[in-house]
Amino acid sequence: MTNARSDYELIRIEIVHVSRSEQNQHRDRARTGADPGATTNWHSRPIEEIYDGLETSAEGLDLAEARERLEYEGANKIEAEEGISPLQIFVEQFKPALIWVLIVAAAVMAAVGHVIDAGVIAGVVLFITAFGFLQDYRAEQSIQALKEMSTTYALVRRSGEKTEIDATNVVPGDVIFVESGDIVPADARIVDESNLSVDEAALTGESVGVSKAVGRVDEDTSLAERENMLYKDTVVERGSGMAVVVETGPESEIGQIATALEEAEERDTPFQAEMDRLGKFIALGVIGIVSIIAITELVIGDTPPLQVFLTAVGIAVSAVPEGLPAVVTLSLALGARRMADQNALVRRLPIVEALGSVDVICTDKTGTLTEEEMTVQRIVANRETYTVTGTGYDTDGEFLQDDEPVDTDRVAKVLHCGMLCNNVDIGIRERDGPTTDESADQERTYLGDPTEIALFVAAQKAGFDHRDLTGRYPRIGEVEFTSARKRMTTVHETPDSGTVAYMKGAPETVLNHCNRELVDGETVSLTDERHTEIETQNEGFAADALRVMGFAYRPDVPDSQAQEPDEDVEQEMVFLGLQGMIDPPRPEVTDALAGCLDAGINVVMITGDNAITARAVGEEVGLRSATVITGPELEEMGDETLREVVDDVDIFARTSPEHKTRILQTLQQKGHTVAMTGDGVNDAPAVKNADVGVAMGVRGTDVTEQASDIVLLDDNFATIRDAVRGGRRIFDNVRKFVNYLLSGNGGEVTMIFTGTLAGLGLVITPIQVLWINVVTDGIPALTMGVDPAADDVMDREPRPPDEGVITDRIITSIVGIALFMTVCLLPLFTLNFYGELVPGYDVTAALVGWSPDYEVGRGLAQTVVFTGFVVFEIVRIQAIRYRYGLGLFSNNWLVLAVAVAVTLQLLVLYTPTGQLLFDVEPLELVHWAQIAIAAAVFALLMAVFVKVQDRYFDRY
């Protein structure tokens, strides 16, 4: 046994015809990655070679050998890395520099006795960290979904006997047995099967079940087409099979996907990185300005140290945009909520901003561009071709010939056959979400194979009623469909007590069992010439990407064959016609795709379907070109060749998960910002590595949803277009309120800095600055987050990925606004600093005779400046929004926010509590007149400044 185990270990990775030592070297190279070409190719090797290599047989392993292999290989489960702990997630919230600027500001305020100021800032910090913690904690659950996708048991053959074991104890070399309803416990090569079909949607994303067969397939066959393989965690739809296990746990296909998902980089969005840079810049700016003032006052001036310290605190508080993190977070959240109302659920708030720079969307075909509801579009009957209108499972439709309606009798026989030779049933599906109406919780739905549903619905369009038809033609027998037979036949009693057989299947197979044809109600001989004509029609349908089924019937089936029908009943059939079907594009996709192209966003279809179908759908929805690259062609391309052609290819067909990731990485290397859609587990790594990962909410798996940034609740491409539009709108709004808040902070810093250097002392107190930053500026800034989109939001090219929120235009705007505010408000402070303006007051004499002890009007002067900042916000708001084509009243919430801010300011000025807390004096009419004049001058300066900016900078 020891020697046997040693041999097994040497050849576990790949079966090759080499010596044992060479096998050992190959295994080591494959596992360490030194040999990138190493591959198991279980699907392309003879079954005898697999048995020999795994040192097993059709009798399976003996118990002792299975135990030893379990010890060596490990349990058949996906070991997810231990996730980050809640404590670590909490600590991560304190990494941004801006958070630490706020913390230091709060600590300083508390140290000098300004408890209220400190409490407000601490509350902002608490809100930001708590919100971020909840978002990140939910995002950490992606790997856990994979861990939960495990079977509870498996039926294996051990020591020659069938044994039910814990699925985690399955090892390579085990012979397993599966049947309808089972979850496949491990990757395995099929040894025997009976009408076996497997739902591999969780792995490949394709919704149609895959018929399995014994045998070998080519080495370059894509994962979705390996009909001789079973894969872990897929579901057996029908039939049964026996297979030999070749890979378990992390070495299985789904295990390798889990590994790739764990290794996917967690990257900050450009917006997150920019906010972090901004925080660091502000922190350094605060330190620099405070240092300059402190050194100037302490070395050159004669200001007391305490006054210098208070001035430094004022500058620090004025430089920090306390409201910015909260406004950013809430604005992104509000944008995400709007997107959720449009069926796009945002899982990571910062990704909302990244949508604005997406310039390539890589999308699935099935269910995203198409309905995911097979629809019969063409019928051949009575030697004529007819068109069927309507899409999906809607039973409204007409039958046309040369665009003119025809009587359904012309196609009745072939539709009749399609409904009877069919296993579809009409059932009930519970609707999502609670409702008070119990009947509204349920809806009628079709249960069965998508192809058969298409035939069923086509018959309903002609007025056939399933219950009535099956009542008149009850089924008494069936010859099942198998992948080898490629046909299905059912036997029915007729209303006149006769017996009839109906067949459907691959057209060439059906034709081979027919010797007659039904034409205009009469049975005629099926000649070789007609046989060729029908094959030509079939090829024409297939060239148009239609999936074609042939139909035939046999009247007067002998009783001896009707009772227990077998293949003998499938002789001398009468050919009825063809039905061609396709999964049609969603009606809204064409306009949505055109909108993306107009917005400078390229759309790339990546599908597991064949090139003909992919090209046909691409042409119908309006992709730029019909250039198609298939998976095998992609594998033959070098990285440099792919880089050269990837921008010119709109369709990739017959792709695998590895192809999808390679395409994504090539696009990203060329500087594109890529949104990637996915639904199956196989898509999760590509979705997670994309700049914007988009999961399908209807047909998608939990794993892909957890790995994504956005979940489409309706699996519709048009929703992606709407999400991009929403993302651009949100980014514009973020850019507006960042400009608004930072320009306000810049004005405060410039005022305090200039006043200090001019010897005027503190021109505005820290608590007044905090009130402006958090309340009177913060509230309007928050409502900017719901500003409507600019009219041209989807007519612009995507912004470059390296272009952040703060552009050169915004920097000049911040600087210009800060200087203009200082120019307009500092004279007001000086004017009121020397006393109240009363008749006979000599301002010039006061200026000449001023000294630090002469502070008749400091409180009043600070109040005027404090209120001036609040009034100037109205001018600043419209100056910033002007270039987006938005009027003052285009956002009712903003109007309300400005009104609220002004009202709150009045309460501060004219209530005893406000006067006490903020150390202000009530203003008289003359002071309001001063502020109004200053605001008018500020508005004039801003109008001229915006015109100058338009000459030297792009509009956005």
Side-chain angles (χ1 to χ4, degrees):
M1 179 60 65
T2 302
N3 291 336
R5 181 189 175 197
S6 177
D7 290 343
Y8 166 76
E9 292 176 1
L10 290 171
I11 60 174
R12 173 66 185 88
I13 295 299
E14 183 176 4
I15 306 166
V16 289
H17 297 296
V18 293
S19 67
R20 293 299 189 195
S21 61
E22 289 173 329
Q23 289 172 347
N24 188 36
Q25 292 170 8
H26 184 85
R27 183 200 68 185
D28 292 340
R29 287 196 303 271
R31 284 191 166 172
T32 61
D35 181 6
T39 175
T40 50
N41 292 331
W42 301 113
H43 55 283
S44 62
R45 299 189 178 279
I47 190 65
E48 296 80 10
E49 189 176 323
I50 292 178
Y51 277 143
D52 291 343
L54 294 175
E55 298 211 345
T56 186
S57 68
E59 296 301 309
L61 302 172
D62 62 47
L63 294 174
E65 174 68 8
R67 281 195 296 267
E68 290 195 27
R69 293 193 183 189
L70 181 61
E71 181 182 348
Y72 173 71
E73 292 290 339
N76 176 34
K77 60 183 180 181
I78 300 168
E79 294 286 358
E81 289 184 359
E82 185 176 345
I84 185 171
S85 69
L87 178 60
Q88 289 174 299
I89 295 175
F90 181 73
V91 171
E92 287 286 318
Q93 307 310 309
F94 293 89
K95 287 180 63 177
L98 191 56
I99 292 293
W100 282 103
V101 172
L102 294 177
I103 292 173
V104 171
V108 169
M109 297 302 290
V112 298
H114 291 269
V115 179
I116 296 177
D117 304 35
V120 172
I121 299 175
V124 171
V125 172
L126 181 63
F127 170 80
I128 296 168
T129 53
F131 198 94
F133 172 82
L134 291 175
Q135 290 293 317
D136 291 349
Y137 181 77
R138 290 173 57 192
E140 265 308 306
Q141 307 307 308
S142 59
I143 299 298
Q144 298 306 314
L146 269 175
K147 191 175 181 181
E148 293 169 2
M149 289 182 64
S150 58
T151 54
T152 55
Y153 68 90
L155 188 62
V156 303
R157 180 176 284 155
R158 293 271 175 92
S159 297
E161 294 185 0
K162 287 186 177 180
T163 307
E164 188 174 284
I165 64 171
D166 188 325
T168 60
N169 294 331
V170 171
V171 296
D174 264 327
V175 172
I176 61 171
F177 299 86
V178 294
E179 59 184 18
S180 179
D182 286 350
I183 300 176
V184 178
D187 290 4
R189 172 71 176 269
I190 297 173
V191 177
D192 189 26
E193 61 85 24
S194 175
N195 196 25
L196 183 61
S197 178
V198 180
D199 178 2
E200 296 182 344
L203 187 62
T204 65
E206 294 301 318
S207 58
V208 179
V210 180
S211 295
K212 296 297 183 177
V214 177
R216 298 168 60 186
V217 296
D218 292 339
E219 183 176 329
D220 59 358
T221 304
S222 66
L223 183 72
E225 296 179 305
R226 294 175 188 172
E227 61 180 17
N228 61 350
M229 295 291 295
L230 297 175
Y231 292 105
K232 180 175 170 61
D233 287 331
T234 58
V235 182
V236 178
E237 281 188 332
R238 67 166 184 262
S240 60
M242 181 178 83
V244 56
V245 173
V246 295
E247 300 285 6
T248 60
E251 297 301 319
S252 65
E253 288 290 338
I254 199 169
Q256 293 178 46
I257 292 169
T259 301
L261 193 57
E262 288 175 355
E263 294 172 352
E265 265 187 65
E266 288 285 358
R267 297 174 297 175
D268 286 344
T269 66
F271 183 66
Q272 287 173 303
E274 186 169 5
M275 288 295 99
D276 196 41
R277 286 195 303 271
L278 177 62
K280 293 175 182 177
F281 175 79
I282 291 173
L284 293 174
V286 168
I287 294 172
I289 294 174
V290 168
S291 299
I292 292 172
I293 291 179
I295 293 172
T296 302
E297 290 293 338
L298 292 175
V299 175
I300 301 175
D302 55 359
T303 307
L306 179 60
Q307 183 62 38
V308 174
F309 180 73
L310 291 175
T311 300
V313 169
I315 291 179
V317 172
S318 65
V320 177
E322 289 87 355
L324 181 59
V327 171
V328 168
T329 300
L330 289 177
S331 296
L332 293 178
L334 289 171
R337 182 168 182 174
R338 287 195 303 270
M339 291 169 66
D341 292 338
Q342 297 178 328
N343 292 315
L345 181 64
V346 177
R347 298 188 64 255
R348 294 178 58 220
L349 287 184
I351 214 68
V352 171
E353 173 271 338
L355 277 168
S357 60
V358 166
D359 61 351
V360 177
I361 299 175
C362 294
T363 177
D364 289 336
K365 175 184 70 68
T366 305
T368 307
L369 296 178
T370 65
E371 295 275 10
E372 199 183 11
E373 295 180 350
M374 296 296 292
T375 305
V376 173
Q377 292 190 335
R378 271 183 252 173
I379 294 176
V380 171
N382 296 305
R383 298 185 177 179
E384 301 285 351
T385 301
Y386 304 92
T387 302
V388 187
T389 65
T391 61
Y393 297 162
D394 188 345
T395 56
D396 291 331
E398 292 184 301
F399 299 87
L400 309 177
Q401 186 176 30
D402 298 327
D403 296 326
E404 294 294 329
V406 298
D407 195 295
T408 55
D409 287 345
R410 299 293 299 167
V411 293
K413 279 290 186 181
V414 70
L415 295 174
H416 180 107
C417 177
M419 178 170 271
L420 286 175
C421 188
N422 197 314
N423 289 324
V424 168
D425 201 357
I426 299 179
I428 295 175
R429 177 175 59 193
E430 289 190 357
R431 296 181 188 271
D432 294 332
T435 176
T436 55
D437 185 357
E438 184 175 342
S439 62
D441 283 340
Q442 300 175 335
E443 61 180 348
R444 308 296 290 182
T445 187
Y446 296 99
L447 306 175
D449 179 82
T451 299
E452 291 196 321
I453 294 174
L455 302 175
F456 194 97
V457 172
Q460 287 183 313
K461 289 178 181 179
F464 286 110
D465 180 84
H466 180 246
R467 183 173 298 179
D468 173 68
L469 198 60
T470 54
R472 292 187 296 117
Y473 293 86
R475 184 184 299 187
I476 58 175
E478 176 182 343
V479 185
E480 287 187 337
F481 172 89
T482 69
S483 56
R485 284 168 32 80
K486 297 183 179 181
R487 64 187 184 277
M488 168 186 176
T489 302
T490 56
V491 181
H492 304 258
E493 290 183 0
T494 64
D496 58 2
S497 301
T499 308
V500 61
Y502 291 102
M503 174 191 288
K504 75 169 186 293
E508 61 275 12
T509 301
V510 172
L511 279 170
N512 289 337
H513 289 79
C514 295
N515 61 359
R516 293 168 292 169
E517 179 183 11
L518 187 68
V519 181
D520 296 328
E522 297 197 7
T523 301
V524 299
S525 176
L526 183 63
T527 64
D528 291 341
E529 182 181 355
R530 272 297 296 153
H531 195 292
T532 302
E533 288 177 2
I534 294 170
E535 286 182 337
T536 301
Q537 286 180 305
N538 175 41
E539 291 170 359
F541 280 19
D544 291 336
L546 296 177
R547 180 178 296 172
V548 189
M549 300 286 286
F551 299 85
Y553 85 116
R554 180 182 176 183
D556 302 322
V557 175
D559 290 341
S560 59
Q561 295 180 354
Q563 297 304 317
E564 295 183 4
D566 55 23
E567 293 190 355
D568 289 340
V569 79
E570 299 174 328
Q571 307 302 321
E572 300 181 349
M573 305 290 286
V574 179
F575 183 74
L576 293 174
L578 305 173
Q579 294 193 54
M581 64 198 76
I582 195 172
D583 181 9
R586 291 174 179 263
E588 64 274 17
V589 162
T590 301
D591 288 341
L593 196 146
C596 287
L597 296 178
D598 290 341
I601 302 170
N602 187 27
V603 180
V604 179
M605 179 200 301
I606 304 178
T607 177
D609 215 333
N610 63 70
I612 294 176
T613 301
R615 179 182 286 109
V617 172
E619 290 176 347
E620 190 164 353
V621 300
L623 288 177
R624 295 179 311 171
S625 69
T627 305
V628 181
I629 290 180
T630 64
E633 292 171 342
L634 189 62
E635 290 177 355
E636 293 176 1
M637 283 186 181
D639 291 341
E640 192 57 39
T641 303
L642 180 59
R643 281 176 59 86
E644 291 174 1
V645 303
V646 71
D647 285 332
D648 299 320
V649 179
D650 293 328
I651 302 171
F652 292 90
R654 287 300 187 208
T655 56
S656 68
E658 292 78 14
H659 298 150
K660 205 167 191 176
T661 301
R662 186 182 175 201
I663 295 165
L664 167 68
Q665 292 172 343
T666 303
L667 288 167
Q668 289 175 326
Q669 289 166 5
K670 295 199 69 175
H672 294 291
T673 301
V674 185
M676 174 73 75
T677 71
D679 47 19
V681 174
N682 63 318
D683 294 328
V687 167
K688 190 166 185 178
N689 279 298
D691 298 288
V692 180
V694 183
M696 303 294 109
V698 176
R699 70 181 191 279
T701 59
D702 288 344
V703 175
T704 308
E705 289 181 14
Q706 291 291 339
S708 68
D709 303 305
I710 296 174
V711 178
L712 301 186
L713 302 181
D714 58 357
D715 291 9
N716 193 337
F717 180 82
T719 303
I720 303 177
R721 185 272 317 270
D722 295 340
V724 171
R725 177 184 174 86
R728 291 189 176 188
R729 171 189 175 184
I730 290 169
F731 181 80
D732 280 354
N733 292 343
V734 168
R735 183 171 272 176
K736 280 183 281 186
F737 65 63
V738 166
N739 189 351
Y740 174 70
L741 289 176
L742 293 185
S743 62
N745 284 101
E748 294 158 4
V749 170
T750 307
M751 273 287 294
I752 295 174
F753 185 71
T754 305
T756 301
L757 292 182
L760 297 176
L762 205 59
V763 297
I764 186 170
T765 67
I767 193 170
Q768 291 170 353
V769 170
L770 192 65
W771 173 262
I772 294 171
N773 291 354
V774 176
V775 180
T776 59
D777 273 3
I779 294 175
L782 180 60
T783 59
M784 278 189 185
V786 294
D787 256 358
D791 292 339
D792 63 347
V793 70
M794 287 298 281
D795 295 330
R796 314 174 204 156
E797 291 291 313
R799 76 176 192 278
D802 57 349
E803 178 183 300
V805 175
I806 300 177
T807 60
D808 291 343
R809 175 164 184 153
I810 288 181
I811 291 174
T812 60
S813 178
I814 292 170
V815 173
I817 290 173
L819 292 175
F820 295 150
M821 291 176 77
T822 301
V823 168
C824 294
L825 289 176
L826 196 58
L828 293 186
F829 180 87
T830 305
L831 196 62
N832 291 278
F833 181 64
Y834 301 104
E836 299 181 4
L837 289 180
V838 294
Y841 182 74
D842 188 349
V843 174
T844 304
L847 285 173
V848 173
W850 176 82
S851 71
D853 296 326
Y854 188 74
E855 298 188 4
V856 178
R858 178 175 292 281
L860 176 62
Q862 289 176 335
T863 304
V864 171
V865 171
F866 176 35
T867 305
F869 271 112
V870 176
V871 172
F872 278 24
E873 75 181 17
I874 301 174
V875 180
R876 284 194 294 127
I877 285 171
Q878 198 49 36
I880 290 169
R881 298 171 75 240
Y882 169 77
R883 70 177 186 270
Y884 294 91
L886 300 176
L888 182 61
F889 297 99
S890 59
N891 182 349
N892 293 332
W893 287 107
L894 179 58
V895 174
L896 178 62
V898 171
V900 169
V902 172
T903 301
L904 291 173
Q905 183 67 16
L906 293 175
L907 291 175
V908 167
L909 294 177
Y910 298 107
T911 62
T913 302
Q915 294 169 9
L916 179 63
L917 286 175
F918 293 93
D919 194 20
V920 296
E921 299 179 15
L923 298 181
E924 297 180 5
L925 187 60
V926 64
H927 305 123
W928 284 106
Q930 295 172 20
I931 294 171
I933 293 172
V937 174
F938 178 66
L940 180 62
L941 291 172
M942 285 304 305
V944 174
F945 183 62
V946 169
K947 293 294 184 182
V948 173
Q949 282 187 308
D950 286 341
R951 292 182 59 184
Y952 294 100
F953 298 102
D954 291 335
R955 184 179 178 189
Y956 299 108

